Amino acid sequence: MKTGLYWLRLSGTGVLLGWVFYVLDWQAMFDTLAGISLLLFLTALVISALTTVAARAVLVWLLVDPDERPPLIRCVETYFSLRFFSVALPRPIVVGLRIRRLNTLCGKSTAFAIGLMTYEALSGALIMAFGAALFYLLQTDRISWSPVIPYVFLCLLGLVASFALLFTRRLDLLINRLLTLLPPQSRIRTRMQSGLKFWRDTVGGFIRRGRSTLVTTLVFAIIFYAGFILSAYVLYLAMGTSLPPAELAWSRSAVWLITVLPISIGGLGVREVGLAFVMADFGVDFETAVAYGFLSFILQTMTGLLGGIVEIKDAFVSGSQR
């Protein structure tokens, strides 16, 4: 199953990138990239590093019990290291490393690491879906209908329901009642029941399911989202072009949700085609959108390479202690 999914991602990446390379006006794209402002690019890089990585690390630090919290600086360093590995290694290896590093960081079980990792990832997806839905509703007259729109709202509905299940009991009881309407041997019923049990036990069992936890999660999710959009906006300005922030926020949020689909490796191809498709509503030509997509990938890669500095430091410290 995992091997088949890997080949699906690999083939999806190849097909999408192949199509982009075939229809792309390379000269026009290189002309766009040639005028990049290095100062603005580095500014976008700093914003991305401080918000999309550091804010997540602080959130995880706050979710751990006060008596068992590791040093905050160590938590931030760990997340920068994980970002580095996500750039350099295949996803299955990265998941294993994340579990091991979180176990080492917090001194907990594998189940704790999986639950914390799931909660952190879905909190980021939740705020991204909220942002995409909000900026779509603010400019519905400028955005043409496409399958992206119902997909965004389905993601939002599913994520809101997931967090409602975690922090309330009523929805849990309602879903269990609804599941009894399905045949006892139904695969859908079995999978939904096991998924519900995993979410409530594995994730909910390791965080304090109270109002303060929910508020903390939403605050840091908003910081993450604001940093993501600000970094994306500054990066677009670095290309010597401009677009209203609301239009860029919708484009980047919607495409971020699309790249979550397991149809490419690292979002390559999906990001570029998605941005070209979505940003066309705002008069952005194909070459500019694709160049922006590749530049976003470079920014993410460089953010991950910052974690390489942490790994070198740790290796140097470990070597000097021997």
Side-chain angles (χ1 to χ4, degrees):
M1 179 65 180
K2 291 182 178 179
T3 303
L5 188 59
Y6 173 78
W7 283 110
L8 173 64
R9 289 174 180 266
L10 187 62
S11 59
T13 302
V15 169
L16 290 169
L17 287 179
W19 180 78
V20 168
F21 292 161
Y22 177 75
V23 301
L24 187 65
D25 184 340
W26 288 92
Q27 185 61 49
M29 189 187 76
F30 285 134
D31 289 343
T32 300
L33 293 175
I36 292 174
S37 167
L38 181 59
L39 177 61
L40 288 176
F41 179 83
L42 292 176
T43 302
L45 177 63
V46 171
I47 294 170
S48 176
L50 290 177
T51 54
T52 61
V53 179
R56 286 186 173 187
V58 175
L59 171 61
V60 169
W61 184 76
L62 289 172
L63 290 176
V64 177
D65 290 334
D67 296 336
E68 301 173 343
R69 283 174 183 167
L72 178 57
I73 185 64
R74 189 58 196 160
C75 195
V76 174
E77 288 178 347
T78 298
Y79 266 77
F80 269 108
S81 296
L82 292 173
R83 189 62 178 260
F84 167 70
F85 289 124
S86 69
V87 170
L89 298 173
R91 183 175 177 82
I93 298 177
V94 173
V95 171
L97 280 171
R98 285 176 71 92
I99 293 173
R100 183 187 301 176
R101 289 296 178 92
L102 287 174
N103 281 343
T104 303
L105 179 68
C106 303
K108 297 278 190 174
S109 64
T110 300
F112 172 83
I114 294 174
L116 197 59
M117 189 169 60
T118 304
Y119 184 82
E120 172 230 329
L122 290 184
S123 63
L126 174 66
I127 200 65
M128 201 65 69
F130 261 122
L134 173 63
F135 286 109
Y136 167 74
L137 293 174
L138 289 175
Q139 47 195 345
T140 53
D141 56 327
R142 300 208 57 197
I143 301 173
S144 58
W145 190 92
S146 70
V148 175
I149 296 170
Y151 170 71
V152 165
F153 282 94
L154 282 173
C155 287
L156 178 60
L157 180 63
L159 289 163
V160 168
S162 296
F163 277 81
L165 284 169
L166 193 61
F167 288 96
T168 66
R169 291 286 182 182
R170 294 179 182 177
L171 189 57
D172 191 355
L173 295 173
L174 176 61
I175 290 181
N176 279 322
R177 291 277 181 87
L178 291 175
L179 288 176
T180 60
L181 300 177
L182 297 173
Q185 304 302 322
S186 171
R187 295 180 66 181
I188 297 177
R189 175 175 175 173
T190 303
R191 288 184 177 182
M192 289 190 69
Q193 285 177 330
S194 62
L196 181 64
K197 187 176 186 301
F198 168 82
W199 182 242
R200 292 303 299 256
D201 296 346
T202 306
V203 179
F206 297 107
I207 64 170
R208 298 182 300 278
R209 288 184 291 174
R211 185 176 300 176
S212 61
T213 299
L214 182 59
V215 171
T216 300
T217 301
L218 292 177
V219 167
F220 278 91
I222 291 171
I223 292 173
F224 159 73
Y225 183 72
F228 174 79
I229 297 302
L230 181 59
S231 175
Y233 182 68
V234 173
L235 184 65
Y236 196 74
L237 292 178
M239 297 170 58
T241 53
S242 62
L243 200 67
E247 296 177 358
L248 194 62
W250 153 251
S251 302
R252 288 305 304 269
S253 303
V255 172
W256 188 96
L257 291 171
I258 296 173
T259 58
V260 173
L261 295 172
I263 55 176
S264 74
I265 298 175
L268 273 174
V270 174
R271 182 188 304 103
E272 290 71 30
V273 173
L275 285 172
F277 178 76
V278 174
M279 296 176 79
D281 285 333
F282 309 121
V284 179
D285 61 81
F286 183 80
E287 284 69 28
T288 299
V290 170
Y292 181 53
F294 283 133
L295 201 59
S296 300
F297 175 73
I298 293 172
L299 183 76
Q300 290 180 8
T301 303
M302 292 188 67
T303 304
L305 291 178
L306 293 175
I309 300 174
V310 176
E311 285 299 306
I312 293 172
K313 179 188 76 77
D314 288 347
F316 179 78
V317 171
S318 299
S320 63
Q321 290 177 347
R322 291 179 181 176

